[in-house]
Amino acid sequence: MQAFNSIMLTLTAVVGLLASVSLVIAGILIMNLSLISVQQRRAEIGLLKVLGAHADLVARLFVTESLLLVGIAGLLGLGLSSLIIWLANQWVPIITFVTPWWSPIIAMLLALLTAWLFSYM
């Protein structure tokens, strides 16, 4: 049993490391998307500033856009994973595949937090 616990601890650490690397990569992609969005909308940003919008308002506009895109992508990912779990339960009825109730909530919160942090950078 000690060997099994050791293997599970190592696998958990490796999966955690892979998840953290993927979050950093996703954050870099969000930063890149925000940069491209700002560069393509220079005229719109200028117009907003001429009309009296503060820099805070413009920043909130782009952060909100980033959160909206990540939220939609997260919901699509959760839907796809639910479909895969349902198909796996249909295909292999001997094994029951279950997602904990807290897992989708944490996944969405972590995705939105990553989008919020990296869109400010």
Side-chain angles (χ1 to χ4, degrees):
M1 194 63 172
Q2 173 105 13
F4 178 74
N5 287 336
S6 174
I7 291 171
M8 288 305 291
L9 184 64
T10 304
L11 283 174
T12 303
V14 168
V15 168
L17 180 67
L18 288 173
S20 64
V21 168
S22 69
L23 280 175
V24 169
I25 291 171
I28 291 170
L29 291 172
I30 290 169
M31 284 176 22
N32 190 22
L33 183 67
S34 296
L35 176 67
I36 291 170
S37 182
V38 168
Q39 286 179 347
Q40 288 182 344
R41 294 189 189 171
R42 283 188 182 166
E44 180 183 335
I45 294 170
L47 180 63
L48 285 172
K49 287 194 171 204
V50 166
L51 292 175
H54 296 283
D56 249 7
L57 180 67
V58 175
R60 272 188 280 158
L61 175 75
F62 287 104
V63 170
T64 303
E65 178 185 341
S66 174
L67 289 172
L68 185 65
L69 288 172
V70 168
I72 291 170
L75 289 175
L76 288 172
L78 288 176
L80 181 63
S81 65
S82 296
L83 177 67
I84 290 171
I85 289 172
W86 181 79
L87 288 173
N89 281 327
Q90 298 302 314
W91 191 44
V92 186
I94 297 170
I95 304 171
T96 303
F97 297 96
V98 183
T99 303
W101 65 268
W102 49 265
S103 180
I105 296 169
I106 290 179
M108 282 300 295
L109 289 176
L110 197 57
L112 291 172
L113 178 67
T114 303
W116 182 69
L117 286 175
F118 279 93
S119 62
Y120 264 123
M121 290 185 165

